[in-house]
């Protein structure tokens, strides 16, 4: 028999383990397979909404109903002192007996929802009941499971009565079963934290500004709060945040550290920094897991997360503990995509889910922003409640736009009409539901045509969501899910309807949060109608997300003005620091040809002047250069003019659609020690404008054509109106600040190391204006101006002459 909860181990110093109730029961009791049909898209958010609905209904039936009751209990079992925490969905009294209500939403068919549908659901209710009975000296408690079937909107309830002794035996049995895992975690924690306390900086010296950045990050991590750190290229940002965050873990902060990025290339930088720390301290007990997108890490040719289609999903929960144990014993401690796939093949488990499971046992979790900020895919296993987490956000200047995208949803009329046609002839509930949605789009098109005006064309905005449309979508979901379940062949029709289903769920999720920070945008063009629930201001969402952790450090080479980012990131009280560039400003020639206007109305007349400036830059010193443009169309115009003027100068162009191989091939042209000059034409704000490291003579110059202002259009103008009304700075928020951020990022491609020397041209008259100059960093104080291409050529020749003279002396 398991020991009772009052039993005390004979060991003198029991190990301590903090554990959520949900984690305990799911780890021990969950069975079966991964099945995306019944745990699918955005179920967590839909579940939360339905929980609130059911709790309100329960309150009407039971006036003493208490929702979301926080429970916490400390008890010792099998040599481990556990601190259990969780929230009971509801507690009330019925028939003179206390009832613990555990609410679950599911898309499983009603006939599958039996009393023994999911053992972990009973386990969760039983643990809450055991804690409540202990704390309130109750002789017995009833556990009620309330299932809500989301498609048919029916509620099914099961109830079981337990004595306090029975509940205590269940609880201690679970804790005893978990004890080996708790001891493993505690032993790792003890060894790892001791090693991190003694962790030494992996370089002999600090770069200029690096010590100051490390100190700021360490203080934020240990004391709590948020830090915005503008750290120019060359300081070593990745190591400057990871090293102090790990030292904070050694000082007693619980963690883990979440290193969150906007793109995959910066994830590799974090992995490299951790590898350097491990190499500098052999045997360092430091476990990190890199979360890779499901599509990229999946071992199947076609990703379909159901037990029938995927052997790695079938029976996952029966094998995942063995895979988990093996991965936790990995000597390297570095659990990236390759390692996860290796263990997944060995134990026939899903590598994506294995990575998620391993994140609970890791010191550092590396992944995309969406694992914290996207309400659809955030790590619910961590972020159901607040924790002692440390958030490190790389390239944080991307966060406001990314967050805005995460809380925006769009649908097009064509998607519903095409889906209806794919179903062929005959009548069905699904075709009827699709037809009604299509009819609503037709009504919207008439509305757009009637409201057509000079400013927005056939686009209208509404501060209110369309409740009728949302109801039509909810009625569509049930027959659409039924069709997807019945037609599982991986053909074009299935893929199209599955994507439509995901898009509809995304729309309904946003509709549940639609408030004064949103507008409904309707646009008609030709036969198409597009509807968008546009998030204008994501700051409230981000504020709530950051509150889930102990500390957050947002860092980038471009985080100015600080007030703008503090505002849009929902961090009004964050500390902001701007570190100076560690590089000699004399090694950068920063020149503005101020007689050229690249405003949209002037672009056709500017191509010759821009091409002449680019030629002057390349001819002053042959080497590798990039020129960044505000659009593909303008890029192509100047490219053609440049080639016409300079047939002897090699040039290459970024294409509108480039996969990873094409992007790699483009960058490979910028080789070190180039035998001939090369000018690459790229789009400002695109994949080559940031996150690209072309050190040394792989890139010796960049031209930024225009201040990067977003293209004027209905959506951008709506942003401008909103921020003018709410902040009094509409043009700055919608255009100037985002544009100059792109400029600074692109310019940062040139000087990457102390030995680099290069040129940055700012081609547009607006760069000379005070409103733009005030947004430039201190190390750009040497900005000079050229009035003609000939004057520019002479200035650049003088700049490079010093380098040539030094080389001749050597």
């Amino acid at each position: 028999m398991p020991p009772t909860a009052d039993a005390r181990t004979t060991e003198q110093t029991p190990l301590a383990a903090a554990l959520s109730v949900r984690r305990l029961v799911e780890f021990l009791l969950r069975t079966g397979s991964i099945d995306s049909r019944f745990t699918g898209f955005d179920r967590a958010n839909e579940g939360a909404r339905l929980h609130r609905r059911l709790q309100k209904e329960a309150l009407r039936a039971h006036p003493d109903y208490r929702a979301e009751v926080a429970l916490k209990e400390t008890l010792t079992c099998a040599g481990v002192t556990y601190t259990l925490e969780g929230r009971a969905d509801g507690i009330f009294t019925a028939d003179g007996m206390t009832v613990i209500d555990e609410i679950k939403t599911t898309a499983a068919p009603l006939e599958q929802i039996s009393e023994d549908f999911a053992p972990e659901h009973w386990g969760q209710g039983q643990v809450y009941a055991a804690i409540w009975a202990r704390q309130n000296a109750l002789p017995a408690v009833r556990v009620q499971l309330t299932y809500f079937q989301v498609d048919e909107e029916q509620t099914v309830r099961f109830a079981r009565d337990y004595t306090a002794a029975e509940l205590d035996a269940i609880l201690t049995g679970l804790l005893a079963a978990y004890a080996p895992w708790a001891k493993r975690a505690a032993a790792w924690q003890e060894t790892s934290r001791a090693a991190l306390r003694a962790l030494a900086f992996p370089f002999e010296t600090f770069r200029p500004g690096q010590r100051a950045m490390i100190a700021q990050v360490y203080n934020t991590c240990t004391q709590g709060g948020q830090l915005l750190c503008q750290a120019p290229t060359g300081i070593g940002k990745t190591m400057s945040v990871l090293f102090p965050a790990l030292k904070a873990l050694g000082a007693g902060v619980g963690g883990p550290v979440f290193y969150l990025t906007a793109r995959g290339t910066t994830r590799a930088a974090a992995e490299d920094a951790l590898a350097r720390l491990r190499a500098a301290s052999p045997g360092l007990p430091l476990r990190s897991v890199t979360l890779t997108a499901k599509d990229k890490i999946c071992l199947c040719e076609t990703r379909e997360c159901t037990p029938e289609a995927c052997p790695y999903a079938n029976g996952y929960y029966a094998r995942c503990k063995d895979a988990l144990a093996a991965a936790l014993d990995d000597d390297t401690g570095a659990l990236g995509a390759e390692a996860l796939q290796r263990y997944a093949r060995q134990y026939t488990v899903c590598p994506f889910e294995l990575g998620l499971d391993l994140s609970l046992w890791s010191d550092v979790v590396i992944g995309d922003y969406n694992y914290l900020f996207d309400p659809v895919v955030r790590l619910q296993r961590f972020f159901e409640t607040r924790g002692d987490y440390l958030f490190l956000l790389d390239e944080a200047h991307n966060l406001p736009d990314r967050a805005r995208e995460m809380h925006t949803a769009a649908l097009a009329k064509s998607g519903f009409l095409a889906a209806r046609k794919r179903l062929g002839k005959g009548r069905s509930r699904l075709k009827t539901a699709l037809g009604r949605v299509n009819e609503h789009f037709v009504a919207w098109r008439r509305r757009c045509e009637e409201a057509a005006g000079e400013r927005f064309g056939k686009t209208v905005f509404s501060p209110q969501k369309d409740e009728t449309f949302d109801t039509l979508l909810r009625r569509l979901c049930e027959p659409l899910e039924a069709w997807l379940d019945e037609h599982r062949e991986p053909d074009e029709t299935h893929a199209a309807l599955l994507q439509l289903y995901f898009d509809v769920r995304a729309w309904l999720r946003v509709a549940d949060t639609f408030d004064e920070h949103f507008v409904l945008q309707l646009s008609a063009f030709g036969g198409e109608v597009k509807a968008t629930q546009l998030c204008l201001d994501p700051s409230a969402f981000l504020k709530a997300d950051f509150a889930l952790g102990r500390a957050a450090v947002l860092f980038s080479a471009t985080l100015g003005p600080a007030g703008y980012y503090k505002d849009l990131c929902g961090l009004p009280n964050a500390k902001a620091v701007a570190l100076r560039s560690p590089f000699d400003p004399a090694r950068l020639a920063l020149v503005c040809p101020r007689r050229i206007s690249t405003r949209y109305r002037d672009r056709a007349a500017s191509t010759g002047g821009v091409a002449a400036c680019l030629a002057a830059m390349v001819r002053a010193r042959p080497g590798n250069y990039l020129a960044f443009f505000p659009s593909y169309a303008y890029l192509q115009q100047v490219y053609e003019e440049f080639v016409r003027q300079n047939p002897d100068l090699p040039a290459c162009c970024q294409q509108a659609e480039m996969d990873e191989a094409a992007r790699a091939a483009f960058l490979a042209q910028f080789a070190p020690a180039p035998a001939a000059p090369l000018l690459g034409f790229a789009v400002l704000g695109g994949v080559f404008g940031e996150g690209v490291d072309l050190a040394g003579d792989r890139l010796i110059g960049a031209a930024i054509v225009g201040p990067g202002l977003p293209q004027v259009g209905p959506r951008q103008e709506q942003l401008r109106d909103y921020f003018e009304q709410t902040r009094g700075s509409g043009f700055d928020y919608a255009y100037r600040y985002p544009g100059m951020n792109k400029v600074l990022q692109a310019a940062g491609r040139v000087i990457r190391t102390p030995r680099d020397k290069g040129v940055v041209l700012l081609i547009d008259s607006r760069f000379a204006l005070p409103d733009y100059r005030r947004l430039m960093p201190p190390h750009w104080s040497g900005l000079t101006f050229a009035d003609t291409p000939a004057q520019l050529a002479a200035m650049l020749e003088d700049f490079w002459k010093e380098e040539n003279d030094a080389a001749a002396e050597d």
Side-chain angles (χ1 to χ4, degrees):
M1 293 181 61
T4 66
D6 290 324
R8 292 295 181 263
T9 177
T10 57
E11 300 176 22
Q12 294 183 349
T13 55
L15 297 173
L19 194 61
S20 75
V21 172
R22 181 171 180 173
R23 179 178 176 184
L24 170 69
V25 299
E26 288 191 349
F27 185 82
L28 293 174
L29 301 179
R30 195 169 189 178
T31 60
S33 306
I34 298 169
D35 194 335
S36 60
R37 291 169 297 181
F38 304 144
T39 60
F41 188 80
D42 203 21
R43 288 297 180 201
N45 287 280
E46 186 180 21
R49 178 179 64 85
L50 293 172
H51 268 55
R52 293 190 293 271
R53 169 179 160 182
L54 293 172
Q55 287 164 340
K56 289 179 180 178
E57 292 176 357
L59 180 59
R60 289 193 290 270
H62 305 281
D64 67 338
Y65 191 97
R66 298 170 57 193
E68 302 298 326
V69 180
L71 297 175
K72 184 175 182 179
E73 179 75 349
T74 299
L75 60 160
T76 300
C77 178
V80 181
T81 296
Y82 293 93
T83 301
L84 287 174
E85 291 187 79
R87 286 183 179 272
D89 293 326
I91 300 179
F92 64 98
T93 303
D95 303 324
M97 195 169 192
T98 299
V99 181
I100 303 295
D101 191 20
E102 186 62 25
I103 300 172
K104 300 296 180 183
T105 57
T106 180
L110 275 172
E111 60 270 18
Q112 293 187 19
I113 304 174
S114 65
E115 190 170 357
D116 298 318
F117 175 63
E120 67 271 20
H121 296 165
W122 282 114
Q124 200 167 345
Q126 289 161 349
V127 172
Y128 291 144
I131 293 173
W132 191 255
R134 287 169 56 84
Q135 294 179 346
N136 294 275
L138 298 177
V141 178
R142 177 174 299 158
V143 175
Q144 174 177 284
L145 294 188
T146 300
Y147 288 105
F148 185 83
Q149 210 287 337
V150 295
D151 299 321
E152 299 189 28
E153 296 193 354
Q154 291 196 32
T155 303
V156 180
R157 290 186 174 89
F158 304 100
R160 294 176 181 173
D161 294 347
Y162 299 91
T163 66
E166 289 173 332
L167 291 170
D168 207 53
I170 292 171
L171 173 58
T172 54
L174 291 171
L175 296 180
Y178 192 81
W181 295 91
K183 291 176 181 178
R184 174 195 279 267
W188 176 269
Q189 182 97 348
E190 182 179 0
T191 304
S192 174
R193 297 313 183 251
L196 293 177
R197 282 194 296 274
L199 183 65
F201 193 63
F203 300 102
E204 292 184 2
T205 60
F206 292 93
R207 295 181 183 181
Q210 194 169 36
R211 189 188 294 272
M213 184 173 178
I214 288 172
Q216 292 282 356
V217 174
Y218 180 79
N219 289 338
T220 301
C221 291
T222 53
Q223 298 170 13
Q226 297 89 29
L227 172 70
L228 271 67
C229 187
Q230 180 168 285
T233 300
I235 284 180
K237 295 187 288 293
T238 304
M239 186 63 74
S240 297
V241 296
L242 273 171
F243 175 72
L246 292 173
K247 294 292 286 185
L249 295 188
V253 174
V257 174
F258 289 88
Y259 191 101
L260 304 173
T261 71
R263 60 185 72 227
T265 52
T266 44
R267 255 164 275 163
E271 291 178 322
D272 291 344
L274 293 175
R276 186 174 289 275
L277 286 167
R278 293 184 178 104
S281 301
L284 178 67
L286 175 62
R287 184 181 297 128
S288 63
V289 62
T290 301
L291 302 178
T292 303
K294 189 179 292 187
D295 285 335
K296 291 186 177 181
I297 202 172
C298 182
L299 297 174
C300 299
E301 289 187 12
T302 302
R303 181 174 69 81
E304 185 178 348
C305 304
T306 63
E308 295 85 358
C310 177
Y312 303 99
N314 188 25
Y316 173 85
Y317 297 106
R319 299 185 297 274
C320 64
K321 293 185 184 63
D322 290 337
L324 180 64
L328 293 178
D329 289 334
D330 189 292
D331 292 335
T332 68
L335 298 167
E338 290 184 6
L340 293 175
Q341 288 178 325
R342 184 174 68 252
Y343 288 114
R345 288 190 180 95
Q346 182 179 352
Y347 291 92
T348 318
V349 295
C350 171
F352 179 75
E353 289 294 332
L354 179 61
L356 295 181
D357 288 340
L358 282 165
S359 67
L360 292 166
W361 304 81
S362 297
D363 307 301
V364 181
V365 180
I366 303 169
D368 190 87
Y369 286 168
N370 57 22
Y371 289 113
L372 171 61
F373 301 109
D374 192 324
V376 177
V377 298
R378 75 155 48 107
L379 299 176
Q380 295 292 340
R381 61 194 69 204
F382 286 103
F383 303 134
E384 282 188 319
T385 57
R386 187 182 187 279
D388 209 26
Y389 312 126
L390 304 179
F391 302 135
L392 308 179
L393 273 74
D394 196 1
E395 303 292 0
H397 61 274
N398 290 297
L399 182 58
D401 280 346
R402 281 289 304 274
R404 187 177 287 122
E405 292 171 6
M406 293 172 189
H407 293 277
T408 291
L411 292 170
K413 176 183 181 297
S414 57
F416 296 89
L417 185 59
R420 194 172 190 275
K421 290 180 178 178
R422 284 182 178 276
L423 296 175
K425 298 180 179 180
R427 302 179 62 181
S428 68
R429 288 181 60 209
L430 178 54
K431 289 184 69 175
T432 299
L434 288 167
R436 287 172 178 166
V437 174
N438 184 69
E439 290 169 3
H440 202 85
F441 272 105
V442 172
W444 273 345
R445 181 169 60 201
R446 289 194 294 267
R447 178 179 171 186
C448 291
E449 291 170 347
E450 292 170 358
E454 293 184 2
R455 189 180 185 198
F456 295 140
K458 294 181 181 180
T459 295
V460 297
F461 291 92
S462 170
Q464 305 295 328
K465 62 181 178 180
D466 190 318
E467 297 280 5
T468 301
F469 181 69
D470 297 344
T471 299
L472 291 175
L473 292 181
R474 290 192 179 95
R475 291 174 179 170
L476 168 65
C477 284
E478 191 273 328
L480 183 52
E481 285 184 344
W483 187 94
L484 289 168
D485 191 37
E486 295 169 4
H487 302 79
R488 302 171 48 76
E489 302 81 8
D491 56 17
E492 291 184 1
T493 298
H494 184 275
L497 266 66
L498 181 62
Q499 185 58 55
L500 181 65
Y501 171 68
F502 287 165
D503 293 341
V504 168
R505 303 303 309 181
W507 178 280
L508 292 174
R509 187 263 304 169
V510 172
D512 286 337
T513 64
F514 195 106
D515 60 12
E516 69 274 12
H517 301 104
F518 290 79
V519 291
L520 175 64
Q521 176 182 349
L522 306 175
S523 299
F525 36 95
E528 183 65 289
V529 183
K530 185 176 181 180
T532 304
Q533 294 180 111
L534 174 62
C535 176
L536 301 170
D537 182 1
S539 59
F541 296 113
L542 293 177
K543 180 179 181 179
D545 294 335
F546 281 120
L548 294 170
R550 173 192 185 90
V553 177
L554 291 74
F555 59 101
S556 171
T558 54
L559 274 182
Y564 167 75
Y565 284 101
K566 290 167 67 173
D567 182 10
L568 285 191
C569 293
L571 303 174
N573 300 318
K575 182 178 181 180
V577 297
L579 304 175
R580 297 187 67 88
S581 172
F583 301 143
D584 181 359
R587 298 187 67 81
L588 174 68
L590 186 67
V591 187
C592 173
R594 59 184 170 188
R595 301 298 184 191
I596 297 176
S597 169
T598 67
R599 289 176 172 85
Y600 187 78
R601 64 177 181 270
D602 300 325
R603 287 181 183 174
S606 70
T607 56
V610 172
C613 290
L614 297 179
M617 176 178 69
V618 176
R619 292 189 187 280
R621 182 182 180 89
N624 294 329
Y625 296 86
L626 280 170
F628 295 96
F629 293 82
S631 71
Y632 282 105
Y634 190 34
L635 177 155
Q636 192 64 35
Q637 292 171 8
V638 176
Y639 171 76
E640 293 173 358
E641 179 64 20
F642 178 84
V643 171
R644 189 190 66 79
Q645 291 184 9
N646 307 279
D648 59 317
L649 294 178
C652 60
C653 273
Q654 175 185 352
Q655 301 302 313
E657 298 293 337
M658 299 179 77
D659 57 20
E660 290 186 16
R663 293 196 293 266
F666 181 87
L667 291 176
Q669 298 176 83
F670 296 81
L678 176 65
L679 176 60
F681 286 70
V683 174
L684 188 62
V687 293
F688 302 120
E690 62 177 275
V692 172
D693 191 9
L694 298 172
D697 57 4
R698 291 193 65 192
L699 188 72
I700 63 170
I704 293 92
V705 183
L709 306 186
Q711 184 176 353
V712 176
R715 178 172 299 194
Q716 214 62 29
E717 286 295 281
Q718 193 69 19
L719 287 171
R720 178 177 181 168
D721 291 348
Y722 173 83
F723 286 114
E724 188 63 35
Q725 295 171 11
T726 60
R727 312 296 200 276
S729 302
F731 184 78
D732 283 343
Y733 271 61
Y735 291 99
R736 194 178 350 252
Y737 295 162
M740 281 300 290
N741 191 288
K742 297 176 189 176
V743 170
L744 295 172
Q745 281 290 323
R749 301 312 97 204
V750 178
I751 303 294
R752 310 296 296 176
T753 74
R755 296 179 60 84
D756 288 358
K757 186 173 183 178
V759 173
V760 170
L761 300 188
L762 304 176
I763 304 179
D764 191 279
S765 57
R766 284 168 287 184
F767 287 118
L769 300 177
D771 283 343
Y772 290 88
R773 296 199 65 180
R774 67 183 172 86
L775 301 178
M776 297 180 183
H779 63 278
W780 279 21
S781 60
L783 175 66
T784 57
F785 300 94
D787 293 330
T788 65
Q791 184 182 8
L792 172 63
M795 295 170 67
L796 296 181
E797 287 173 7
D798 288 343
F799 172 74
W800 289 116
K801 185 175 184 297
E802 297 178 8
E803 179 97 348
N804 296 334
D805 291 345
E809 292 177 3
D810 291 342

